[in-house]
Amino acid sequence: MLHLSSRPDPASPMPSFPVFVDLRGRTVLLAGGGDAAASKARLLVRAGADILLLAADVGEEMLELLESGSIRRRETEFRPELLDGAIIAIDGSGDPDLTDRIRSAAFTRNVLVNVVDVPEQCDFTVPAILDRSPVIVAVSTGGGAPALARNIRQRLEAAIPAGYASLARAAQKARHSVRDALSTTRDRQRFWDRVLSGSHADRLMAMTEEGAVEEIMAELSRFIAGGRDQGGAVTLVGAGPGDPGLLTLHAVRAIGSADIILHDALVPDSILSLARREARLVSVGKRAGCRSVPQEFTNRLLATCARKGLRVVRLKGGDPFIFGRAGEEAEFLRSRGVAVTVIPGITAASGAAAQLGLPLTHRGVARSMRVVTAHCRTSSETDAIDWTQLADPATTLALYMGRDRLGDIASSLIAGGLPPDTPAALIANACRPNVEVRFASIADLPMAPALTEPGAPSLILVGDAVAHAPGWAAVSVTKVSAA
C-alpha cells in the first residue's frame, strides 16, 4: 500500500511573528557606541534607516559611520523625547539603568525595543540575515540561541547562491508583463515555477540581469505558444546514505522545489523534511521481507504526475544509477516523451568507507574497486555470479544487498581463491546515527555478532584495504589475545 505523508505544523506556537519592516527614511533610536551597537548600525544603514545615535562615547567603528555621514544625528544624554517619531529602538549600550529608562519611555509611545543580547527584555529580536537583496532570508531562534541562527544562515548561504539576487531583480522587472500576458493565477504560478527552478533558474543566474529579463520574456512567449500543454519533468535524485549533510546542493534544491516526491522507504525524515510543506510525499520503496510497490506502478505514476505539469522528484537512497533501478525508470519515461534529469548521490560504499576511515583504494594495497550486487533479479542470475573473478584481495569488493547471503558469499569467495584471512567488514546504517560495524576476516564474518537491526540497509566490504580502517586494529588485538 502507498504511504502518503504530509508534515503537520509544529504543535508548539511560534515564539514571535516574523515581519519585514521598511525602515527607509524612518527614525531608529540606537543606544550605545561600542561593537554591539556598531554591528546593528551597519544593518540599519543597509536598510536605509535614519539613525539617531545615543552615545556619550563611541568606538572606532561607530566613529567611522559618523564621519562618513551614515549616521547624521547624535545625542549624548537620553531624554524621553528622543523617541518621539521613532519606529523602533535598539539598545546596545549594556547599561541596565539606561535600558530601563528607554523601555519605560518607549512603552508610553508604542515604540518597540530590542535590548541586544537580553531577549527577555526585547519586544522584538534581530535575526541572522542572509542578504541576497532583494531576496532577504531571516533566521531567528527567538533570541535564545543566536549562535545557532548564525550557523543556519551559513548553511543557507551555500544553498542560496548570490545569483539569486539578480534573478529576483530580473523576475521583478518581468512581473508586470507576465501578469498582463497570463490571466489566471494558476498559469502565472506554473510559469514562474518553471522559470525560477531547476535548470531554468541556473541558466538565468549565469546571465546578466538584462539577459535574464530577455530570456524570461522569451520563455513567456514559448509558454503562451504551447507551454500550458507541456508536461512536467522528472528528476532522479540521489539521497546518499542517509545523512542530510551529504546531499549535493542540486539535490537540496530539487527536493525543495518538488510538487511531488516518490521516495524510497529508507530515505530518512531528516531529508524528507527539506520538501515544501505543500509537497506530496509518496513512499514507493522496497525493503527485504516487506511487501513492495511494483516497479511498473512507480514508472506509471512518475509519468502520470509529469504529464500533469508537476515537478516530480524520484528520491533514491545512495546514487540513482548504482543498483537504484534509475536506468529502468529513465528509459520508461524517455520512451514516453518525459524529460528526465539525474542528480547523483553518494553511494553507500563511499559513505561507509569515509565514516570508517577506510580507503577503498590504497597505493600498494588496493589497485581497484568492484561494486557488485549479491541479489539479482532471479536466483539463476545470482547463482551465475563469477566469484572466482571477484576473489582478489588487492581489489576492494563492495557487495550490496548481501547481508542475508553472507555465509554463501564468504564460502563462494574462499572457494574462488580468496584467502580466508582477507579483511572484511559488514556495515549497517552507514552514515546514520545508529551505524553498526562488524570487522572480521571473510572466513569469520558470518559468525560475527548479529546486527541489532536485522533489516537495516547493509553493505559488505572485502579486501586488504579494509585492514587500514582504524577499527580493524581491535580485531588484530582480539586474535592475538585468543592465541
Side-chain angles (χ1 to χ4, degrees):
M1 178 179 292
L2 293 178
H3 172 65
L4 305 183
S5 64
S6 59
R7 294 162 309 286
D9 292 333
S12 57
M14 291 190 299
S16 56
F17 183 74
V19 295
F20 288 89
V21 181
D22 185 356
L23 295 181
R24 290 173 294 182
R26 307 181 77 173
T27 300
V28 175
L29 176 68
L30 175 62
D35 292 342
S39 67
K40 297 297 185 287
R42 290 195 303 272
L43 288 175
L44 294 170
V45 169
R46 179 92 173 109
D50 179 14
I51 302 171
L52 171 55
L53 178 64
L54 173 64
D57 300 304
V58 296
E60 182 177 340
E61 190 171 359
M62 194 70 83
L63 182 60
E64 289 179 359
L65 291 171
L66 285 164
E67 290 178 345
S68 68
S70 298
I71 300 175
R72 297 187 295 106
R73 295 187 292 164
R74 177 187 174 191
E75 296 281 344
T76 58
E77 297 291 336
F78 176 69
R79 306 186 308 277
E81 309 87 70
L82 295 179
L83 286 164
D84 292 341
I87 183 171
I88 59 173
I90 298 178
D91 178 13
S93 67
D95 181 347
D97 179 64
L98 178 58
T99 297
D100 289 343
R101 288 189 288 149
I102 290 176
R103 282 172 49 83
S104 177
F107 180 78
T108 61
R109 290 167 171 79
N110 293 319
V111 176
L112 300 179
V113 179
N114 170 269
V115 182
V116 178
D117 290 336
V118 190
E120 63 271 17
Q121 291 189 307
C122 291
D123 299 314
F124 70 95
T125 57
V126 179
I129 297 172
L130 171 60
D131 188 354
R132 299 283 189 259
S133 296
V135 177
I136 304 293
V137 180
V139 181
S140 173
T141 58
L148 176 61
R150 288 194 297 272
N151 181 273
I152 295 171
R153 182 205 66 201
Q154 290 165 359
R155 296 188 182 197
L156 289 172
E157 285 176 341
I160 305 175
Y164 272 92
S166 59
L167 179 61
R169 289 191 292 269
Q172 185 177 23
K173 290 180 179 178
R175 180 184 177 191
H176 291 297
S177 297
V178 172
R179 186 179 61 189
D180 292 342
L182 303 176
S183 59
T184 69
T185 301
R186 172 62 177 163
D187 276 347
R188 291 194 293 270
Q189 181 179 352
R190 287 184 59 199
F191 171 77
W192 285 121
D193 283 350
R194 189 164 79 180
V195 169
L196 300 179
S197 62
S199 58
H200 281 95
D202 291 339
R203 188 170 68 252
L204 292 172
M205 283 190 281
M207 300 177 178
T208 64
E209 190 173 315
E210 293 74 15
V213 174
E214 292 178 4
E215 178 59 26
I216 290 173
M217 298 310 298
E219 186 64 30
L220 177 61
S221 297
R222 290 190 286 269
F223 184 85
I224 293 171
R228 294 177 174 86
D229 299 323
Q230 294 178 4
V234 174
T235 304
L236 306 176
V237 178
D243 181 352
L246 297 179
L247 289 170
T248 67
L249 295 180
H250 284 308
V252 172
R253 286 187 213 165
I255 295 169
S257 63
D259 296 312
I260 183 168
I261 298 175
L262 281 65
H263 62 89
D264 284 355
L266 293 172
V267 175
D269 289 341
S270 56
I271 289 178
L272 295 177
S273 67
L274 300 173
R276 294 183 303 144
R277 184 178 303 173
E278 302 81 9
R280 181 184 175 198
L281 305 182
V282 183
S283 177
V284 293
K286 303 167 180 62
R287 297 193 67 170
C290 301
R291 184 178 178 183
S292 300
V293 177
Q295 182 65 48
E296 295 74 16
F297 179 85
T298 300
N299 292 346
R300 292 195 302 271
L301 184 57
L302 288 170
T304 298
C305 291
R307 285 170 178 154
K308 292 179 179 178
L310 300 175
R311 289 167 298 181
V312 185
V313 161
R314 176 70 174 97
L315 189 58
K316 295 172 171 290
D319 181 272
F321 279 171
I322 297 181
F323 306 127
R325 303 190 71 171
E328 299 172 39
E329 293 171 353
E331 288 179 358
F332 179 90
L333 294 167
R334 287 169 180 151
S335 69
R336 285 153 179 80
V338 177
V340 179
T341 302
V342 181
I343 297 176
I346 293 178
T347 191
S350 296
Q355 188 173 29
L356 300 180
L358 187 163
L360 292 171
T361 60
H362 195 71
R363 188 167 58 175
V365 178
R367 58 180 175 266
S368 62
M369 174 188 171
R370 298 283 297 271
V371 179
V372 182
T373 177
H375 180 76
C376 302
R377 290 181 300 177
T378 64
S379 57
S380 60
E381 286 185 3
T382 302
D383 293 339
I385 295 174
D386 187 347
W387 295 105
T388 301
Q389 187 184 47
L390 300 176
D392 178 8
T395 292
T396 302
L397 189 61
L399 288 154
Y400 287 62
M401 296 171 282
R403 179 194 63 238
D404 296 335
R405 300 189 61 241
L406 184 55
D408 291 338
I409 290 169
S411 60
S412 297
L413 285 170
I414 294 171
L418 189 72
D421 62 351
T422 302
L426 172 64
I427 307 101
N429 288 318
C431 299
R432 300 182 187 224
N434 56 339
V435 62
E436 288 189 85
V437 185
R438 303 288 185 266
F439 284 110
S441 68
I442 188 60
D444 294 338
L445 192 61
M447 283 78 77
L451 296 170
T452 303
E453 186 183 345
S458 303
L459 175 78
I460 304 166
L461 295 176
V462 183
D464 287 344
V466 174
H468 287 262
W472 179 258
V475 177
S476 302
V477 171
T478 301
K479 286 185 176 181
V480 170
S481 300

PDB file of all heavy atoms in Angstrom, residues 241-255:
ATOM      1  N   PRO A 241      23.602   8.111   1.584  1.00  0.00           N
ATOM      2  CA  PRO A 241      23.395   7.020   2.534  1.00  0.00           C
ATOM      3  C   PRO A 241      22.526   7.375   3.736  1.00  0.00           C
ATOM      4  O   PRO A 241      22.284   6.525   4.590  1.00  0.00           O
ATOM      5  CB  PRO A 241      24.818   6.675   2.976  1.00  0.00           C
ATOM      6  CG  PRO A 241      25.586   7.938   2.788  1.00  0.00           C
ATOM      7  CD  PRO A 241      24.979   8.628   1.617  1.00  0.00           C
ATOM      8  N   GLY A 242      22.063   8.626   3.843  1.00  0.00           N
ATOM      9  CA  GLY A 242      21.118   8.944   4.920  1.00  0.00           C
ATOM     10  C   GLY A 242      21.406  10.202   5.689  1.00  0.00           C
ATOM     11  O   GLY A 242      20.518  10.760   6.328  1.00  0.00           O
ATOM     12  N   ASP A 243      22.641  10.683   5.656  1.00  0.00           N
ATOM     13  CA  ASP A 243      22.998  11.911   6.362  1.00  0.00           C
ATOM     14  C   ASP A 243      22.629  13.099   5.475  1.00  0.00           C
ATOM     15  O   ASP A 243      23.170  13.239   4.378  1.00  0.00           O
ATOM     16  CB  ASP A 243      24.501  11.906   6.659  1.00  0.00           C
ATOM     17  CG  ASP A 243      24.961  13.141   7.420  1.00  0.00           C
ATOM     18  OD1 ASP A 243      24.160  14.084   7.590  1.00  0.00           O
ATOM     19  OD2 ASP A 243      26.128  13.164   7.839  1.00  0.00           O
ATOM     20  N   PRO A 244      21.737  14.002   5.930  1.00  0.00           N
ATOM     21  CA  PRO A 244      21.353  15.141   5.080  1.00  0.00           C
ATOM     22  C   PRO A 244      22.541  16.016   4.682  1.00  0.00           C
ATOM     23  O   PRO A 244      22.520  16.654   3.636  1.00  0.00           O
ATOM     24  CB  PRO A 244      20.371  15.923   5.969  1.00  0.00           C
ATOM     25  CG  PRO A 244      19.875  14.946   6.973  1.00  0.00           C
ATOM     26  CD  PRO A 244      20.998  13.988   7.215  1.00  0.00           C
ATOM     27  N   GLY A 245      23.583  16.033   5.521  1.00  0.00           N
ATOM     28  CA  GLY A 245      24.754  16.844   5.195  1.00  0.00           C
ATOM     29  C   GLY A 245      25.523  16.351   3.990  1.00  0.00           C
ATOM     30  O   GLY A 245      26.363  17.069   3.456  1.00  0.00           O
ATOM     31  N   LEU A 246      25.247  15.123   3.548  1.00  0.00           N
ATOM     32  CA  LEU A 246      25.941  14.567   2.383  1.00  0.00           C
ATOM     33  C   LEU A 246      25.171  14.767   1.087  1.00  0.00           C
ATOM     34  O   LEU A 246      25.610  14.308   0.038  1.00  0.00           O
ATOM     35  CB  LEU A 246      26.207  13.073   2.600  1.00  0.00           C
ATOM     36  CG  LEU A 246      27.129  12.734   3.773  1.00  0.00           C
ATOM     37  CD1 LEU A 246      27.297  11.229   3.912  1.00  0.00           C
ATOM     38  CD2 LEU A 246      28.489  13.405   3.619  1.00  0.00           C
ATOM     39  N   LEU A 247      24.027  15.441   1.148  1.00  0.00           N
ATOM     40  CA  LEU A 247      23.301  15.767  -0.078  1.00  0.00           C
ATOM     41  C   LEU A 247      24.062  16.815  -0.880  1.00  0.00           C
ATOM     42  O   LEU A 247      24.716  17.705  -0.314  1.00  0.00           O
ATOM     43  CB  LEU A 247      21.915  16.322   0.262  1.00  0.00           C
ATOM     44  CG  LEU A 247      20.872  15.362   0.830  1.00  0.00           C
ATOM     45  CD1 LEU A 247      19.672  16.152   1.335  1.00  0.00           C
ATOM     46  CD2 LEU A 247      20.442  14.353  -0.217  1.00  0.00           C
ATOM     47  N   THR A 248      23.960  16.749  -2.194  1.00  0.00           N
ATOM     48  CA  THR A 248      24.509  17.825  -3.016  1.00  0.00           C
ATOM     49  C   THR A 248      23.574  19.030  -2.968  1.00  0.00           C
ATOM     50  O   THR A 248      22.385  18.908  -2.630  1.00  0.00           O
ATOM     51  CB  THR A 248      24.682  17.382  -4.477  1.00  0.00           C
ATOM     52  OG1 THR A 248      23.387  17.168  -5.052  1.00  0.00           O
ATOM     53  CG2 THR A 248      25.498  16.100  -4.574  1.00  0.00           C
ATOM     54  N   LEU A 249      24.103  20.195  -3.318  1.00  0.00           N
ATOM     55  CA  LEU A 249      23.263  21.400  -3.356  1.00  0.00           C
ATOM     56  C   LEU A 249      22.161  21.250  -4.396  1.00  0.00           C
ATOM     57  O   LEU A 249      21.031  21.702  -4.185  1.00  0.00           O
ATOM     58  CB  LEU A 249      24.123  22.630  -3.657  1.00  0.00           C
ATOM     59  CG  LEU A 249      25.149  23.003  -2.590  1.00  0.00           C
ATOM     60  CD1 LEU A 249      25.932  24.238  -3.023  1.00  0.00           C
ATOM     61  CD2 LEU A 249      24.477  23.267  -1.249  1.00  0.00           C
ATOM     62  N   HIS A 250      22.483  20.609  -5.522  1.00  0.00           N
ATOM     63  CA  HIS A 250      21.453  20.393  -6.544  1.00  0.00           C
ATOM     64  C   HIS A 250      20.334  19.507  -6.003  1.00  0.00           C
ATOM     65  O   HIS A 250      19.157  19.718  -6.316  1.00  0.00           O
ATOM     66  CB  HIS A 250      22.070  19.749  -7.789  1.00  0.00           C
ATOM     67  CG  HIS A 250      22.859  20.695  -8.639  1.00  0.00           C
ATOM     68  ND1 HIS A 250      22.353  21.897  -9.085  1.00  0.00           N
ATOM     69  CD2 HIS A 250      24.133  20.628  -9.115  1.00  0.00           C
ATOM     70  CE1 HIS A 250      23.265  22.514  -9.817  1.00  0.00           C
ATOM     71  NE2 HIS A 250      24.352  21.770  -9.842  1.00  0.00           N
ATOM     72  N   ALA A 251      20.698  18.504  -5.206  1.00  0.00           N
ATOM     73  CA  ALA A 251      19.682  17.627  -4.630  1.00  0.00           C
ATOM     74  C   ALA A 251      18.779  18.384  -3.675  1.00  0.00           C
ATOM     75  O   ALA A 251      17.556  18.236  -3.689  1.00  0.00           O
ATOM     76  CB  ALA A 251      20.349  16.452  -3.911  1.00  0.00           C
ATOM     77  N   VAL A 252      19.373  19.237  -2.842  1.00  0.00           N
ATOM     78  CA  VAL A 252      18.583  20.030  -1.889  1.00  0.00           C
ATOM     79  C   VAL A 252      17.603  20.928  -2.632  1.00  0.00           C
ATOM     80  O   VAL A 252      16.425  21.041  -2.266  1.00  0.00           O
ATOM     81  CB  VAL A 252      19.510  20.866  -0.983  1.00  0.00           C
ATOM     82  CG1 VAL A 252      18.698  21.840  -0.123  1.00  0.00           C
ATOM     83  CG2 VAL A 252      20.334  19.955  -0.085  1.00  0.00           C
ATOM     84  N   ARG A 253      18.069  21.553  -3.704  1.00  0.00           N
ATOM     85  CA  ARG A 253      17.188  22.446  -4.477  1.00  0.00           C
ATOM     86  C   ARG A 253      16.053  21.666  -5.127  1.00  0.00           C
ATOM     87  O   ARG A 253      14.896  22.107  -5.137  1.00  0.00           O
ATOM     88  CB  ARG A 253      17.999  23.164  -5.555  1.00  0.00           C
ATOM     89  CG  ARG A 253      18.905  24.261  -5.025  1.00  0.00           C
ATOM     90  CD  ARG A 253      19.509  25.012  -6.192  1.00  0.00           C
ATOM     91  NE  ARG A 253      20.845  25.479  -5.865  1.00  0.00           N
ATOM     92  CZ  ARG A 253      21.726  25.912  -6.751  1.00  0.00           C
ATOM     93  NH1 ARG A 253      21.409  25.902  -8.032  1.00  0.00           N
ATOM     94  NH2 ARG A 253      22.908  26.336  -6.381  1.00  0.00           N
ATOM     95  N   ALA A 254      16.381  20.504  -5.684  1.00  0.00           N
ATOM     96  CA  ALA A 254      15.339  19.704  -6.347  1.00  0.00           C
ATOM     97  C   ALA A 254      14.287  19.247  -5.348  1.00  0.00           C
ATOM     98  O   ALA A 254      13.078  19.319  -5.615  1.00  0.00           O
ATOM     99  CB  ALA A 254      15.977  18.496  -7.045  1.00  0.00           C
ATOM    100  N   ILE A 255      14.725  18.791  -4.185  1.00  0.00           N
ATOM    101  CA  ILE A 255      13.776  18.352  -3.152  1.00  0.00           C
ATOM    102  C   ILE A 255      12.905  19.516  -2.705  1.00  0.00           C
ATOM    103  O   ILE A 255      11.688  19.389  -2.531  1.00  0.00           O
ATOM    104  CB  ILE A 255      14.534  17.741  -1.958  1.00  0.00           C
ATOM    105  CG1 ILE A 255      15.250  16.457  -2.379  1.00  0.00           C
ATOM    106  CG2 ILE A 255      13.585  17.453  -0.795  1.00  0.00           C
ATOM    107  CD1 ILE A 255      16.234  15.940  -1.349  1.00  0.00           C
TER     108      ILE A 255
END
